[in-house]
Amino acid sequence: MHALECDHLSKTYTSGVRGRREIQALQDLTLTIGRGEIFSLLGPNGAGKTTCVKILLSLVHPTTGSASLLGLPVSNPHARRRIGYLPENHRFPGYLTGEQVLSSFGALTGVRGPELATRTTQLLGMVGMQDWRKVKVKRYSKGMMQRLGLAQALINDPEVLFLDEPTDGVDPVGRKEIRDVLRTLKAAGKTIFLNSHLLSEVELVSDRVAILDHGKLLKVGTVDELTTTDSSYHIGIEGTVPAAFVTEATARVLGVTAGADGLTARVADVPALNTVIDLLRAHGVSITSVQKQRNTLEESFIDLITREVQS
Amino acid sequence: MTLLAIVRLTLRELASKATMYILAGISTVVLIGTAFAVSASQTDAGSLVTMFGQPLMEVPIPQDALVHFVRQMQAGLAGGLFTGIMLFGVFATAGIVPDMLERGTVDLYLSKPIARWELLLGKYLGGVAAIGVNILYFLVGAWLVFGMRTGVWDPTLMLTALIMIFMFGCLFGLVTFIGTWTRNTATTIVLTFLFLFIIEGPLLAHRESTLFRLSENTIYRTVIDGLFYLFPQISGMQAGAAAQLSGQTDIDWKPFLQAFLSGTAFFLGGAVLLKKRDF
């Protein structure tokens, strides 16, 4: 049984007189997420990420398709018994203290009595909010609200955790702490569904990533799969790149760029790469390494979105 | 148990609002004022009633006249309480549902393992319970004040408390519906007051002397009648509560049944709206 399954999910929002204006927020999304994975959903604003999460949490009804959480249809409230959710821009009632937020929202998930009290203390300690437990949340900063939100999402010891921009407003130290919490949760076998604009953060923690744009799933895979380029290689050499080689190679492959410790060759296929290597040898250059080049997740993301816009 | 958690959270929300304390404060002032103002001393010839230390009647009155007098006083106070509850109670509780449905808050609630109707029911029960506590505080207080100051321990006041909680419950079904529909506290208050003080009381309840004068058209009058039976008949219940408190026995209970059905229907309408809505 998968942690999450989306089967041909589509969502069209209607507005205006008689619903004449239609916005297709999600188009035929099919996705499965295994247990124990940290899965991230990326996409520009309006890509459909939040709609996807909201459908999975039954906050939004899909127009077509279906989705399930831990084997139960998302429309079944019991499906949410073993999930935790940290929404983006969440608002806890200002009249509650941090401790009361956890006890109140914990009670809504079915956790009670001594277990609730123990988890409240444990989680406030984990997110570094122990000293603020008796303070009303209306006095909390954005970062503190995020920490409390994370604790709230974990109050029922969920199997699946949805985090929407969890590090939003959190300082760098706090961000690292949250990343560490995510790794601990993953080690404990929890499934984490992450929505974040901070691609460097996503890259650090995610097992798999999906990229959405205009409601369509463009690509899904591991971080390695998404960041490894098919056509670029870094070739390490001893000495400097001869200018004559650059001119000759540029005419025969997609591109060659000389750098301090070697060169980057963009080639159409492996034979073209061998052509570059042969040319280097012909120019008497000693080769020390050949490596497929990796982009950062951000570069891959921008590249993919740009290509989608152009197409 | 989850329902209870929602009710508890709603009570906490209302306990944080100044309006609830203003209502309780006004009740306290009225009760203390009444305790100082009214007293009855027993004589061989009957009871001598005084108001602010001055005898109200020149001669002592018999026990049944004293009971009648106390009931009239209680009816007056309960009438005042009713108006206070309608003003402050609606004002304090109208935001319960719209606040829950605000972006950032609704996500937290709906991501919990709770059915949407259950969430609405918890909010509804929390609102009625908070106002119920205020009603009980005032009416039990009035019962004690009149009992101690006049010696008349009239149990009908307890029944009045239950009737008033029931009346608020019926009205709150409509408030819950409007709150779910508009998702705006100010609009909920305005529409509820519009219904209470213009549409229901002066127009629909007295439609023969107001709306029916505008036209004799059968369809028009049927529509007006339909609206009268669609909305909770607050005026009818108010008249019934006053009659009950005055000791009358021929009370018309039909408005109570109609208001119960109407309040339930509006609450269910709100639950259907909530179920269908995307957040």
Side-chain angles (χ1 to χ4, degrees), chain A residues 252-271:
Chain A
R252 296 173 71 170
V253 296
L254 297 173
V256 172
T257 317
D261 56 341
L263 59 102
T264 304
R266 281 186 61 227
V267 293
D269 47 26
V270 176

Side-chain angles (χ1 to χ4, degrees), chain A residues 209-252:
Chain A
V209 173
I211 298 178
L212 279 181
D213 189 31
H214 290 96
K216 282 193 289 189
L217 182 65
L218 298 185
K219 209 164 186 180
V220 60
T222 63
V223 172
D224 272 348
E225 285 165 358
L226 289 176
T227 55
T228 306
T229 61
D230 292 333
S231 59
S232 287
Y233 291 84
H234 180 267
I235 303 173
I237 58 163
E238 280 179 359
T240 54
V241 182
F245 159 79
V246 175
T247 314
E248 207 174 326
T250 306
R252 296 173 71 170

Side-chain angles (χ1 to χ4, degrees), chain B residues 39-55:
Chain B
S39 72
S41 48
Q42 301 294 321
T43 62
D44 292 339
S47 301
L48 196 61
V49 182
T50 58
M51 285 283 270
F52 298 104
Q54 301 298 314

Side-chain angles (χ1 to χ4, degrees), chain B residues 87-221:
Chain B
L87 284 170
F88 284 93
V90 169
F91 198 77
T93 55
I96 290 177
V97 175
D99 286 353
M100 174 188 77
L101 299 180
E102 269 188 30
R103 196 180 286 261
T105 305
V106 68
D107 313 58
L108 290 166
Y109 280 111
L110 296 185
S111 63
K112 305 296 176 213
I114 311 161
R116 292 187 181 191
W117 67 265
E118 199 181 355
L119 191 58
L120 199 66
L121 182 62
K123 289 283 169 184
Y124 170 86
L125 291 176
V128 174
I131 297 303
V133 167
N134 262 295
I135 291 172
L136 280 174
Y137 170 68
F138 184 79
L139 291 182
V140 170
W143 180 71
L144 288 172
V145 164
F146 281 112
M148 287 190 287
R149 299 292 287 163
T150 65
V152 178
W153 297 92
D154 181 13
T156 54
L157 211 50
M158 296 299 104
L159 184 60
T160 306
L162 296 179
I163 288 174
M164 285 184 80
I165 294 169
F166 174 83
M167 286 163 71
F168 183 77
C170 295
L171 177 68
F172 200 55
L174 177 67
V175 175
T176 304
F177 172 79
I178 299 172
T180 313
W181 173 42
T182 65
R183 293 161 72 177
N184 183 292
T185 305
T187 313
T188 305
I189 293 171
V190 169
L191 289 179
T192 307
F193 283 173
L194 190 71
F195 162 74
L196 269 178
F197 300 112
I198 297 176
I199 296 171
E200 199 278 329
L203 294 180
L204 292 179
H206 301 98
R207 60 200 183 286
E208 273 100 357
S209 56
T210 55
L211 295 171
F212 281 2
R213 287 194 173 184
L214 297 174
S215 170
E216 290 185 354
N217 183 291
T218 319
I219 296 169
Y220 167 76
R221 290 191 169 193

Side-chain angles (χ1 to χ4, degrees), chain A residues 11 54 58-61 77 80-81 85 87 89-92 95-96 104-105 107-109 112 152, chain B residues 1-2 6 9 12-13 16 102-105 107-108 110-114 116 275-279:
Chain A
K11 176 66 188 179
K54 287 189 168 185
S58 204
L59 287 158
V60 165
H61 305 293
R80 299 191 291 277
R81 191 163 284 280
Y85 177 43
N89 299 322
H90 56 275
R91 288 171 49 148
F92 291 122
Y95 52 84
L96 296 178
S104 300
F105 284 90
L108 295 183
T109 63
R112 322 224 174 281
Q152 175 274 143
Chain B
M1 288 303 277
T2 314
I6 305 165
L9 193 56
R12 258 189 181 149
E13 179 185 343
S16 73
E102 269 188 30
R103 196 180 286 261
T105 305
D107 313 58
L108 290 166
L110 296 185
S111 63
K112 305 296 176 213
I114 311 161
R116 292 187 181 191
K275 184 180 165 59
K276 292 195 164 186
R277 188 164 280 171
D278 286 334
F279 292 97

